[in-house]
Amino acid sequence: MVRSNKLPFNIMIMIFPNGPICNLDCDYCYYKKKTSLYPHTKNFQMTEELLEEFIRQYIKIQPGLVVTFGWQGGEPSLRGIHFFKKVVKLQNKYLPKNWKSQNAFQTNGTLLTDKWCKFFRENDFLVGISIDGPSVLHDVYRKDKQGRPTHTNVLKGLHLLQKYYVEYNVLCTVNNINVRYPLEVYHFFKNQQVKNIQFIPIVESLGEGKVSSRTVSSKDYGRFLITIFDEWVHYDFGDIFIQTFEECVAAWLGMRTNLCVFSETCGRAPVMEHNGDLYACDHFVFPEYKLGNILETPLNKLIQSLKLKEFGRSKKDDLAEVCKVCDVRFICNGGCLKNRIINMGEGKKLNFLCEGYKQFFRCIDPYMNEIAKGIKQEKSPKMIKKNLYLLK
């Protein structure tokens, strides 16, 4: 029987089981201040009763056959391993026959233990671990509550994930410091045998088009991506997977991108706080973007609400005129809404990283055309890499 309340599309909600609470105090973290939204709350731990209600509703609205859960923070491991064992039990309880769950767990890595990694491996969790490169770069902004460096403990966590063969990827923020050393960052990850990397640019808006000193400049970010791409495309294509580059491959193939940053519209990655409050996006956890609470309004109604639809469509509807005629719009689509801070007049804003993105996308065009052609011809990565090397 077809369920009337299921969505016509897959959606992944990011869940904050410990709210914004974290054991670190990273300088550029935009989420640690979210405690101010709940000034009378002392305990930010999600209850198991709310967890069950969420999992029940969440699975019920999905079209199937795979339901993806994203566990975020703050630091989600602070909620304890018992909580996540409960997660797995509840998923198995509510999943229809022949359906499966996928769990993505984003962590700073400092609290990982053998016990955690055994659990991740046994339950097929995908773990994202945050590392900003070698210690001299990572420790600039990623410190603990006492202001101490964290790189050594993060690296221990990475090695535990590798020891237990946990599927993982590295999330590396690109800031005003490590952007100057693209190859040092990339070679560090290669030396650590990392195969999956996400590069996330730091853009901290101060209002009126101004940004913080930690913010990566647009030109520098473009050069950072180009420098790493040049090595990746000639030596590591097919062996190392970099999210931005993989999204480019999809776009040049004429396929839909998976990353919301490059999608034409957004709104398919809302977040749920510790108490059941649902927001449009983790970068827009503000009162005006609150959709409601799943204990008061069914999740199905919140996801299909006009408020979320309008938020998602605004990415396309509010696109600056220069973006509409841009030759790289097919991949960029104006970038992330949160980074549109350059006033273009008439209520339109341009992405702060526009110049760097254009530089990067135009630079990689001949390589992406060759990769797309090779994939369409069903050539092996080895053969494609050989042809790419001829373009050098």
Side-chain angles (χ1 to χ4, degrees):
M1 180 181 295
V2 177
R3 295 170 299 150
S4 60
N5 64 342
K6 72 175 183 178
L7 298 175
F9 51 83
N10 286 306
I11 192 165
M12 188 188 84
I13 293 178
M14 292 187 285
I15 312 112
F16 290 71
N18 206 57
I21 305 303
C22 186
N23 61 313
L24 301 189
D25 191 19
C26 302
D27 291 343
Y28 53 65
C29 178
Y30 62 90
Y31 212 80
K32 59 186 178 183
K33 295 180 181 179
K34 298 305 176 184
T35 53
S36 63
L37 292 172
Y38 306 97
H40 304 297
T41 299
K42 294 182 179 180
N43 182 6
F44 283 85
Q45 291 194 340
M46 180 182 294
T47 66
E48 292 188 3
E49 291 75 20
L50 173 59
L51 174 68
E52 180 163 9
E53 180 60 20
F54 168 73
I55 289 177
R56 184 190 69 79
Q57 290 193 44
Y58 188 54
I59 291 174
K60 191 176 181 180
I61 66 174
Q62 300 283 357
L65 296 168
V66 178
V67 183
T68 304
F69 294 77
W71 305 99
Q72 299 270 339
E75 174 51 46
S77 64
L78 287 172
R79 188 59 186 84
I81 198 168
H82 170 79
F83 180 86
F84 289 95
K85 288 181 178 179
K86 184 74 172 180
V87 164
V88 174
K89 288 181 180 179
L90 290 171
Q91 288 172 345
N92 292 333
K93 176 180 177 180
Y94 289 106
L95 281 170
K97 186 178 180 180
N98 297 324
W99 284 34
K100 61 180 288 188
S101 62
Q102 290 182 338
N103 289 282
F105 188 101
Q106 184 63 41
T107 178
N108 60 47
T110 61
L111 301 178
L112 295 183
T113 61
D114 290 84
K115 188 176 180 180
W116 270 110
C117 293
K118 286 179 182 177
F119 169 79
F120 291 145
R121 182 70 183 93
E122 291 168 356
N123 294 282
D124 297 320
F125 272 54
L126 168 64
V127 177
I129 183 168
S130 298
I131 311 174
D132 287 353
S135 59
V136 67
L137 301 176
H138 173 98
D139 287 332
V140 173
Y141 294 131
R142 298 190 65 82
K143 299 182 175 67
D144 65 15
K145 299 289 188 183
Q146 287 73 44
R148 297 173 300 195
T150 61
H151 191 268
T152 298
N153 288 333
V154 175
L155 214 55
K156 288 179 182 177
L158 173 66
H159 294 159
L160 280 173
L161 293 171
Q162 294 171 333
K163 174 184 175 181
Y164 287 96
Y165 300 98
V166 176
E167 186 178 357
Y168 74 92
N169 59 51
V170 162
L171 189 155
C172 173
T173 65
V174 185
N175 53 64
N176 68 313
I177 303 296
N178 63 358
V179 72
R180 306 172 198 166
Y181 307 96
L183 289 183
E184 287 84 350
V185 170
Y186 186 52
H187 289 159
F188 168 78
F189 292 134
K190 286 179 66 173
N191 291 337
Q192 294 296 325
Q193 307 301 313
V194 173
K195 299 297 183 183
N196 292 277
I197 310 168
Q198 300 177 39
F199 290 117
I200 310 297
I202 293 295
V203 178
E204 296 179 309
S205 174
L206 300 178
E208 299 182 351
K210 298 179 181 179
V211 294
S212 73
S213 60
R214 291 184 290 265
T215 293
V216 61
S217 80
S218 183
K219 285 185 178 180
D220 284 349
Y221 187 56
R223 285 192 288 263
F224 178 91
L225 291 176
I226 289 170
T227 303
I228 292 177
F229 180 87
D230 186 60
E231 174 150 335
W232 172 83
V233 79
H234 292 117
Y235 304 107
D236 302 318
F237 173 78
D239 298 315
I240 294 178
F241 301 90
I242 298 175
Q243 186 185 53
T244 300
F245 303 166
E246 298 300 316
E247 291 293 299
C248 290
V249 171
W252 261 263
L253 281 169
M255 299 167 60
R256 179 178 176 176
T257 56
N258 292 314
L259 193 61
C260 59
V261 170
F262 298 136
S263 297
E264 189 173 39
T265 59
C266 57
R268 293 194 180 183
V271 304
M272 190 182 78
E273 257 294 342
H274 67 288
N275 65 342
D277 285 347
L278 201 71
Y279 294 86
C281 168
D282 66 317
H283 291 290
F284 291 85
V285 178
F286 301 103
E288 60 267 36
Y289 294 99
K290 181 181 171 181
L291 304 173
N293 187 289
I294 71 161
L295 297 178
E296 299 168 357
T297 306
L299 186 57
N300 180 53
K301 289 187 177 181
L302 296 177
I303 295 300
Q304 299 194 78
S305 67
L306 180 61
K307 190 171 186 177
L308 184 57
K309 289 177 181 178
E310 288 178 344
F311 173 82
R313 286 198 301 262
S314 69
K315 189 169 190 279
K316 178 181 179 181
D317 295 344
D318 295 339
L319 201 62
E321 293 301 317
V322 292
C323 293
K324 293 179 180 178
V325 297
C326 181
D327 58 313
V328 297
R329 178 186 174 182
F330 74 99
I331 169 63
C332 178
N333 283 307
C336 183
L337 273 175
K338 84 172 185 68
N339 294 336
R340 293 185 186 178
I341 60 175
I342 301 176
N343 194 349
M344 303 296 288
E346 298 182 353
K348 306 292 184 181
K349 292 186 177 181
L350 187 68
N351 195 295
F352 178 80
L353 299 172
C354 174
E355 188 174 359
Y357 272 138
K358 286 195 293 187
Q359 181 185 12
F360 169 63
F361 293 137
R362 290 168 180 169
C363 178
I364 69 174
D365 181 64
Y367 296 98
M368 283 297 156
N369 287 329
E370 187 64 36
I371 291 172
K373 182 175 71 174
I375 292 174
K376 290 176 181 177
Q377 294 173 349
E378 299 183 349
K379 291 183 178 179
S380 67
K382 184 177 181 180
M383 286 300 299
I384 295 175
K385 188 190 296 186
K386 182 178 179 181
N387 291 337
L388 291 172
Y389 195 78
L390 297 176
L391 293 175
K392 189 173 183 180

